[in-house]
Amino acid sequence: MIPRLKPLIGLKEIAAAIPKGYDAGIGDVDRFEVAFADVMGQKHAVAFPYGRTGLLFLIEALGLKGREIICPAYTCVVVPHAIVYSKNIPVFVDCEPTGFNMDLEQAESRITSRTGAIIATSLFGYPVDLDKLQKIRSRHPHLHIIQDCAHSFAAEWNGRQVQREGVAAIFGLNISKLITSIFGGMVTTDDDKIYQRLKISIHGKLKPSNWIKELKRTLYLLAIYPTFNRQVYDWVNRIERLKLLNTFVKYYDVNKIDMPDDYLQHMSNVEARTGIINLNRYRKIVENRRSAANYYFSTIQNMNDFILPPRVNGATYSHFVVQVKNRNEWLKKALIKGIQLGWLIEYNIPEMSVYRNNDPSVFPYSYKYARTTINLPVWGGARQAKKVVERLFR
Ligand SMILES: *Cc1c(COP(=O)(O)O)cnc(C)c1O
């Protein structure tokens, strides 16, 4: 069985998770921040328990309250949740006609005197159009541009890395992301003032990690490792496997705007140590995804019922997202052939009951992608992509 997603974690991460003594690991979070900022080519990185907590604190650090914040209709639902938690109002914008990212022309048309920020997301590893973004910035210099890089470690638009082109960037680091620190998130910025403010609010508002959290996260990591091990993976029954994997990506309730219970408890040291090790693998991780995507592009054709995603220079393909007419049929068909397909964002946020004040017909692309997208595995590089193609299309 080829699972739909798999973190690239090895024995090094497991070894890093083992505490070296009672007070060992002090400063691990600081070390992770320094390493992360270095890899991203930014002056500062600030760690958070989740990416959404980072976004929430960042919005607060920008001094935004009671303002409108423009964000994609097709993105992870934690993004508008964080906007609401920060006491601002999400304004949703549909995808561009040629891809999954937010339509920046439409976004610009939604700017009003109440708009405080735009969250530009490089979805599925597709770099946001930095030229268009720059034009918006020059016409609306008071607006803050926040880069959501949860899927786009070092994605590039014409050679420029997306995370560096805004006031700050946010990253998610849970087990389903490119780089993982078990859970966790990061905010990166070159702005000293924002960095100071983030540090001050962390000090004031985040509870420190404690031994319970350290233990919980350690156990979680130890449980994850064999789960993704191939032999064990093949061994567990299929239904269980699906359920288990869903717990990694099912994080929302359509009837509630909420946050995890521990969203205000700081990143644990075990997460930071895991993240530091995993960060070293990021080149390999991105390389695997790119080579898998290239293999798919060169061997799979658009068919009636199978539409390939756009091919874009500088994309990191955190997910290889095709559109199909009958998603369940493909899921079943693939499972029989030993491949687990899945989807990442199967909702159009404005349609969710908690955000219902928006008219779904205004978001035709987001509406469509929510119903038709399915992901082919990319974590195992071209070799694995070859297996997938051989099994699926033979
Ligand atoms: C994962 C993700 C985040 C952050 O998620 P957390 O689970 O809070 O770390 C933000 N934006 C997008 C698009 C994501 O996929």
Side-chain angles (χ1 to χ4, degrees), residues 126 292-301 308-311 317 320:
Y126 286 104
N294 285 336
Y295 187 83
Y296 289 138
F297 280 126
S298 62
T299 51
I300 309 175
Q301 257 83 67
L308 291 179
R311 193 172 193 171
Y317 301 105
F320 193 83

Side-chain angles (χ1 to χ4, degrees), residues 49-55 74-79 119 121-124 148-151 170-174 176-177 183-186 251 259-260 319 344-345 347:
Y50 296 91
R52 66 199 90 172
T53 310
L55 177 58
Y74 193 62
T75 187
C76 183
V77 71
V78 306
V79 171
I119 299 179
T121 308
S122 295
L123 206 69
F124 305 143
D148 182 346
C149 296
H151 296 178
I170 65 154
F171 296 84
L173 297 166
N174 73 39
S176 77
K177 308 290 184 190
F183 289 88
M186 278 281 180
Y251 40 73
M259 292 269 173
H319 306 83
L344 194 71
I345 302 176
Y347 47 76

Side-chain angles (χ1 to χ4, degrees), residues 75-188:
T75 187
C76 183
V77 71
V78 306
V79 171
H81 285 4
I83 296 175
V84 171
Y85 263 65
S86 73
K87 302 194 169 62
N88 291 281
I89 303 146
V91 172
F92 298 106
V93 170
D94 201 10
C95 311
E96 56 197 0
T98 52
F100 299 108
N101 284 339
M102 181 167 74
D103 184 331
L104 290 176
E105 272 138 47
Q106 225 181 89
E108 186 166 16
S109 74
R110 303 295 301 270
I111 296 173
T112 69
S113 58
R114 293 186 302 276
T115 311
I118 295 183
I119 299 179
T121 308
S122 295
L123 206 69
F124 305 143
Y126 286 104
V128 67
D129 183 332
L130 292 177
D131 297 319
K132 281 188 190 164
L133 207 55
Q134 192 138 26
K135 280 189 194 129
I136 294 180
R137 206 176 342 174
S138 62
R139 286 194 282 259
H140 305 274
H142 66 287
L143 280 190
H144 298 293
I145 308 273
I146 298 170
Q147 295 284 358
D148 182 346
C149 296
H151 296 178
S152 61
F153 274 72
E156 288 179 358
W157 177 264
N158 284 338
R160 289 145 69 198
Q161 294 198 339
V162 290
Q163 75 275 7
R164 303 169 74 172
E165 309 253 351
V167 65
I170 65 154
F171 296 84
L173 297 166
N174 73 39
I175 212 86
S176 77
K177 308 290 184 190
L178 269 84
I179 301 290
T180 186
S181 62
I182 316 180
F183 289 88
M186 278 281 180
V187 173
T188 59

Side-chain angles (χ1 to χ4, degrees), residues 17-52:
I18 298 163
K20 317 241 161 4
Y22 245 112
D23 61 353
I26 286 176
D28 289 338
V29 174
D30 297 336
R31 284 199 298 128
F32 187 24
E33 289 176 343
V34 170
F36 199 89
D38 187 45
V39 166
M40 291 303 150
Q42 299 222 255
K43 206 162 162 190
H44 309 289
V46 185
F48 287 91
Y50 296 91
R52 66 199 90 172

